[in-house]
Amino acid sequence: MNAWAGKILVVDLTARKSICVPTSDYSDTWLGGKGIDLALLLAAECWQADPLSPENILVFGTGPLTGTLAPAASRVHVGARSPATELCGSSNIGGQFGPELKYAGYDHLVIKGAAAEPAVLVIDDDRVKIQPAQELWGLGVSKTEAALAERYGSDFRFFIIGPGGENRVRFAGIRSGTFNSASRTGMGAVMGSKNLKAIAVRGSKAILVARPERFYAACQRARREILESPCYQNMLNVPQMLRGSTHTGYFSYGNKESIVTPIEETISKAEDFLAAHRVGKAACFSCPLRCQDVFDVPGSGRLGMQCDPRVEFNYMAQVDDPTFAWRAYVICQETGLDTTSIANVLGFVNESLKVGDLSWKELKKDLNVSGEDRVELFLALITAISERKGIGDLLAEGVARAGKKLGPSFEQRAMHRDGLELAVPEPRTHLGLALAYSVSERGDYLSGFPIFEMVGGEAGRAMAAEAFGDGQIANNAADRKTLSDKEYVQTYMENMAATADMLGVCRWMTPTNGAPIKEDTLAELLTEAVGKTYTGEDLWAYADRCRKAFFEFDGKCRREKEKQLLPERLFHPVSSDQGQVAGIKKEELIAAISRYKKLRRVL
Amino acid sequence: MRRLQVIADCCTSCRSCEVACSLVHSGSCWPKEARLWIEPKENATAFTPRICRRCRRPRCAAVCPSGALVPLPEGGAKVDPEKCTGCGACVKACPFGYLRLSPITNVPLICDLCLDRPEGPACAETCGEKAVVVKET
């Protein structure tokens, strides 16, 4: 089988058995990656399962381009019924694991049941074993990885959960190496509920491609396109890139309390931090974008960081200190927690302290922290959440559940959609984000990232015109203050992201990140790899099917549950650097959601 | 004389060079069959490409008991897979540790600078960070 490895490995941890299923049973209809993962989740009917029970399944999906020379061909989609949203969980991770899984001979990995004791799943080509991991339980991610490399060899690649996943924190992620994480929607908690501390994989097989010379040439053309794009240069200075977007109120401050951001000061400090501590760049498998930074910070040694989560910690927790953000990030890395959810939780706690609903004194006592330093309190809180100690146990349930339990005043300040904590980008100033947060498949904005309005102005309009042609849609797409036509942006970005996620390449090299690789280029790469003609329109049809599968899964999960709109706070005015900003108009958002569903044909 | 120069500080460990090498030599994406590889260091935050140095007097060829590795006038050596017995003496003899055997055929995977490609070595063509570059001396 060209491009695909050919097999889906299904491991039943309860029965301690594994079987293989041909990928070709699914690939014609679902292509691969996220598409086949969704098909497997639907087939398993795990919408009925408690997300943290053995009845839930955990799926990992590479795509037909993963492990090849196609640019950014590193990705693995991770899916399960989410313990955070109780809808379809979906996360994505790069690094080296995905290609290695394919070299071992598997496109997808399905984990069923639960191990009786802490276990590690070892996949060494055709040899699949479930081995004890009692001595690793409780260890942080880096220590676990070092122990596994010692036990199995440094040529294995690992997926690991930290104490956060072990303790079933509902927003725990799965980590791989120092750079990579499948953070959102609690996939680490699902892995922890299965008593699976880690997955180790090593492969020695080839991925065949149908037309090697033409595939090689197509890969080189795509790579050159990336290297010549502004996006490639921007990766060298993320703070500078952020500066370009913050003057429009792109980031909220605190717990969506205001949009008054200390932009210059925070970004200058972030740049100083980069200059002082960044010692190199790194990349996922086969990726020319090299979006990862290597840092050497006293006290934490050499570590990697991707997608710069520091702004989340600085803004949402309202602690304007890059060292705090770094330390918070390192704790999340070690304990395996999602930085976005944690930053949101800190914002929730910070606001509750400010208005007096939480007591400083009691919180300090609960966390065993002395002194008045908010930094130390917040860092202790992150650790307590990972260990589910004291108030950490409640907050490990996420702000939605914690708010409900603590009472109405807490509940109204829980910034989430369907149980997934909102991120720092601000939907009141960027109305495309309001639609993205509202309708996206997993509750955040990333699957429909409205980059045209983020860039804005003539540059944003020119980017939008490439997608929609010159006209009113492109004009509206670049206008952050309107919801008109944003359903087209949402659908376009979702399709682009889903295409990348199904092929097993990174969506960051596509227009979802302002990068140049579009569906036609991806179709050409797939065509040469598989030896069968695919067009951009074909990929769009697969993407549409994939999105509809999310609707189907979520529809079965919800049953009686009413679909949640955004938190009420976002529909009210808010102060910003440019004065008062109106809240999102509810009736306009509802109308935009309707137009989106009509466009998706899911009404 | 043409050789490959490594600038390790520029390497991001994307391993595109490995896949490109395997693709042009074996027709598939197969890093285990590549003639170079990236070695991670320091918690996998620093990386060094390992590539044949194409020695003027290659020890790998000098120790080959079957005469399968033949020194080339411009440096390095060429392997004759028919003569190779897969004994691995060449791997042990390489003073830099930059040679390995194919896990499938046991024939040494020795760099040939992609001499049959007009575009030159695939690894250097693929490396966007110029961690592997062609150098004429």
Side-chain angles (χ1 to χ4, degrees), chain A residues 67-69 96 100 103 142 155 157 178-179 202-209 212 215-216 220 223-224 227 232 281-288 290 292 294 302-304, chain B residues 9-21 23-24 27-32 40-47 103-104 117 120-123 125-129:
Chain A
T68 71
L69 188 61
Q96 306 284 342
E100 201 71 25
Y103 299 140
S142 62
D155 52 349
R157 313 287 178 180
T178 183
F179 296 103
R202 180 170 68 175
S204 66
K205 298 172 189 175
I207 299 170
L208 306 178
V209 291
F215 180 67
Y216 181 91
Q220 295 296 1
R223 282 167 176 276
R224 274 195 296 276
L227 294 175
Y232 172 74
K281 295 289 291 179
C284 294
F285 182 91
S286 194
C287 186
R290 40 92 172 104
Q292 302 162 338
V294 179
R302 286 175 72 99
L303 290 173
Chain B
D9 284 349
C10 294
C11 179
T12 63
S13 189
C14 76
R15 300 173 66 206
S16 303
C17 53
E18 295 179 22
V19 198
C21 178
L23 189 55
V24 299
S28 56
C29 299
W30 200 2
K32 287 273 195 298
K41 298 181 296 188
E42 299 186 58
N43 190 25
T45 57
F47 321 100
I104 306 302
R117 295 187 74 246
C123 53
E125 186 186 16
T126 307
C127 183
E129 299 305 302

Side-chain angles (χ1 to χ4, degrees), chain A residues 1-7 61-68 73 75-76 96-108 125 201-208 503-504, chain B residues 29:
Chain A
M1 198 175 182
N2 290 320
W4 289 273
K7 287 183 289 187
T62 69
L65 294 180
T66 307
T68 71
R75 307 301 292 191
V76 183
Q96 306 284 342
F97 185 99
E100 201 71 25
L101 186 65
K102 277 188 77 176
Y103 299 140
Y106 310 103
D107 297 297
H108 294 255
D125 280 334
V201 65
R202 180 170 68 175
S204 66
K205 298 172 189 175
I207 299 170
L208 306 178
L503 294 177
Chain B
C29 299

Side-chain angles (χ1 to χ4, degrees), chain A residues 393-413:
Chain A
D393 186 32
L394 180 61
L395 293 169
E397 292 291 294
V399 294
R401 288 176 180 80
K404 200 166 231 172
K405 193 156 185 191
L406 288 166
S409 65
F410 288 91
E411 199 173 357
Q412 58 84 24
R413 77 175 69 97

Side-chain angles (χ1 to χ4, degrees), chain A residues 179 237 283 290 366 527 541 601 603:
Chain A
F179 296 103
N237 194 345
R290 40 92 172 104
D366 187 85
T527 297
R601 301 185 305 281
L603 275 176

Side-chain angles (χ1 to χ4, degrees), chain A residues 426-449:
Chain A
E426 173 55 55
R428 282 164 293 195
T429 53
H430 289 68
L431 292 174
L433 276 176
L435 181 63
Y437 277 121
S438 301
V439 302
S440 68
E441 58 203 20
R442 69 178 186 186
D444 72 355
Y445 65 101
L446 281 172
S447 65
F449 191 41

